Amino acid sequence: MSPARVPPRTLARVFWRCLFLQAAWNRRGMQNLGFAYAIEPALAALYPEPGRRREALERHLQFFNCHPFMAAAIVGGAIHHEERVAAGEEPPGAAIRYKTTLQGPLAALGDGFFWTALRPFCGALGAAGALVVGVPAIVAAVLLYNVIHFSLRLGLFRAAYRGGDAVVPVIARLGLPLAADRLRAAGVALCGVAAAIVVLRGAGAAGAAAGIVAALVAGTGYAALVRGARLLPTAYVAALAGIAVAVAGHLHWSS
Amino acid sequence: MISLVRVDNRLLHGQVLETWLPRLGVKEVVVADDEAASSVLARAAMTLCVPPELPVRIEPLRAIDFGALAESDRPVLVLVRDVAQLAEARAAGLTPARARLLNVGNVHFGPGRRAVTPSVFLSEDEIRTLRELAAAGFEVEARSVPTEAPAGIDEIERRYAAAR
């Protein structure tokens, strides 16, 4: 029997299906249906015999949950192992062991890098940029985010398909936790820039008093956060206070 | 000191790193799991996903010295894979004086299991184990992240009985 390989066209289909990993998210298996749906074309290519194909699909229906972007590495690596299972080089559980071992750590990496660093950074970039150049900055920020996450997904999928377990050192070399720290710091700085632009614009449009009030509201909000106030209520109160002061000032000066 | 002992089928993942660690000020994570300890892949993956300043130890459950962890100055979070491992940990020296709080965070669905929270599906055996741990003086709670309202042992039993 020739060594079982998944054709490149099929790999492309699997990668495309990875993008819909969470479409059938459910409490019992979480991303299990999405994972089985994504890997199904590869299993069909590796196991032409219906009985074995069914068995393979069933093992990939077990619980799965990971960060949706990092999961590309798990789908790619699972195919790497399934090729060896189909060729009789590894036991049937090899791909499952790979999945269950990596889902947690890669989810942690993805949550830390994408959800708490890259996405807020791009949001802050769009917000600060929009104040300066308008809508194009928002388009650019959305593009930047998607180019980065899409190329990482594709790269991880390919590296894991080729190397299997060897994808872990590849991911380690990306240095995602450190990059996340830097992106978070840069995002915070951008938010500061955006706030400064708002204060300066306010002062320019409505006089120095408006600028001072805006700076006071922002400063009070910051002090509250430092003292341990919760983020969202504080932000809402600060925004409402700012609006109230603006309306009061407008009524006062226009009467 | 042991800040928390947590049951999580996925062991180390985003909920632990992004929510529990900052909430409890944890400075060290101990993964007490025989399978993870013997897997090169698991050790490599768990080591790379944590921030460089946070030490992670991955050891077989029987190799954990709970007394030493409890006496250390550093707040530690201990992760075990399932509820049965909690009973194992107790046999290995975990006492309420060393770790008061036992958190059941994620236990996946399987045949014969019922939902007690959106992320925790327990079997009758596991309910019994948790009741014994509570009777021994541990505070047992089910919740995946700190912002969720915790369900204590009575609530866990009530929900288990009410679930189909």
Side-chain angles (χ1 to χ4, degrees):
Chain A
M1 190 174 128
S2 64
R5 300 290 289 185
V6 177
R9 265 186 69 88
T10 308
L11 286 176
R13 272 184 75 201
V14 171
F15 180 73
W16 168 250
R17 288 186 174 200
C18 282
L19 305 181
F20 305 97
L21 185 71
Q22 313 219 75
W25 199 93
N26 63 93
R27 270 175 42 185
R28 289 186 174 183
M30 296 199 179
Q31 296 163 343
N32 68 331
L33 288 170
F35 193 100
Y37 173 73
I39 203 171
E40 189 270 331
L43 299 179
L46 289 173
Y47 303 103
E49 200 257 305
R52 285 194 76 196
R53 183 192 301 188
R54 190 193 158 89
E55 204 177 279
L57 192 59
E58 274 179 357
R59 65 174 169 256
H60 284 287
L61 272 169
Q62 68 154 239
F63 179 97
F64 181 74
N65 202 46
C66 192
H67 186 279
F69 303 168
M70 300 303 290
I74 301 193
V75 179
I79 299 174
H80 174 97
H81 284 291
E82 284 297 348
E83 285 187 345
R84 278 141 191 86
V85 173
E89 293 165 13
E90 288 184 349
I96 302 307
R97 183 195 48 83
Y98 175 85
K99 282 171 70 175
T100 52
T101 305
L102 287 189
Q103 61 179 341
L106 293 196
L109 264 183
D111 285 354
F113 179 75
F114 292 104
W115 289 172
T116 73
L118 184 66
R119 199 159 65 171
F121 169 81
C122 290
L125 190 67
L131 290 169
V132 182
V133 297
V135 176
I138 297 171
V139 176
V142 170
L143 265 179
L144 176 72
Y145 178 70
N146 285 292
V147 165
I148 293 174
H149 96 67
F150 196 81
S151 35
L152 271 172
R153 278 171 117 160
L154 191 58
L156 288 174
F157 180 78
R158 291 170 56 158
Y161 170 66
R162 290 198 189 128
D165 296 6
V167 76
V168 169
V170 172
I171 296 173
R173 279 197 293 277
L174 291 174
L176 293 179
L178 187 64
D181 277 350
R182 292 187 179 151
L183 281 171
R184 267 180 231 126
V188 169
L190 278 170
C191 289
V193 169
I197 293 174
V198 171
V199 169
L200 290 174
R201 291 252 175 96
I212 291 166
V213 169
L216 267 178
V217 170
T220 313
Y222 177 75
L225 288 177
V226 168
R227 293 176 66 89
R230 287 175 58 194
L231 176 64
L232 284 180
T234 313
Y236 292 143
V237 169
L240 284 175
I243 292 169
V245 171
V247 170
H250 184 71
L251 293 177
H252 177 75
W253 278 305
S254 57
S255 61
Chain B
M1 60 180 268
I2 301 175
S3 301
L4 189 72
V5 178
R6 172 174 168 98
V7 176
D8 198 317
N9 282 180
R10 274 173 284 161
L11 296 174
L12 195 54
H13 61 110
Q15 287 176 359
V16 177
L17 286 179
E18 301 295 336
T19 67
W20 286 104
L21 262 55
R23 169 63 68 101
L24 299 173
V26 166
K27 295 281 179 273
E28 185 179 5
V29 174
V30 173
V31 178
D33 188 70
D34 301 358
E35 194 185 323
S38 66
S39 156
V40 178
L41 186 65
R43 302 178 71 97
M46 286 183 188
T47 312
L48 85 95
C49 76
V50 298
E53 70 276 9
L54 183 80
V56 175
R57 277 163 46 193
I58 304 148
E59 289 176 11
L61 195 132
R62 288 282 172 175
I64 308 283
D65 183 345
F66 289 102
L69 289 181
E71 278 160 29
S72 128
D73 297 335
R74 273 206 296 222
V76 183
L77 188 148
V78 180
L79 282 168
V80 297
R81 194 183 289 269
D82 52 35
V83 172
Q85 300 296 304
L86 282 181
E88 281 280 309
R90 193 178 161 211
L94 187 70
T95 61
R98 289 171 172 169
R100 188 182 49 86
L101 190 58
L102 306 179
N103 166 266
V104 185
N106 286 289
V107 180
H108 303 157
F109 176 75
R113 292 176 176 277
R114 298 184 194 171
V116 300
T117 80
S119 69
V120 175
F121 297 83
L122 297 178
S123 68
E124 211 176 330
D125 277 354
E126 287 169 333
I127 295 281
R128 203 174 307 125
T129 304
L130 291 177
R131 172 52 80 184
E132 283 165 14
L133 289 164
F138 291 100
E139 188 179 326
V140 175
E141 61 158 43
R143 59 170 157 173
S144 57
V145 291
T147 46
E148 208 180 301
I153 184 67
D154 294 339
E155 179 66 13
I156 291 173
E157 283 183 338
R158 198 190 60 73
R159 289 186 195 171
Y160 181 83
R164 279 180 295 117

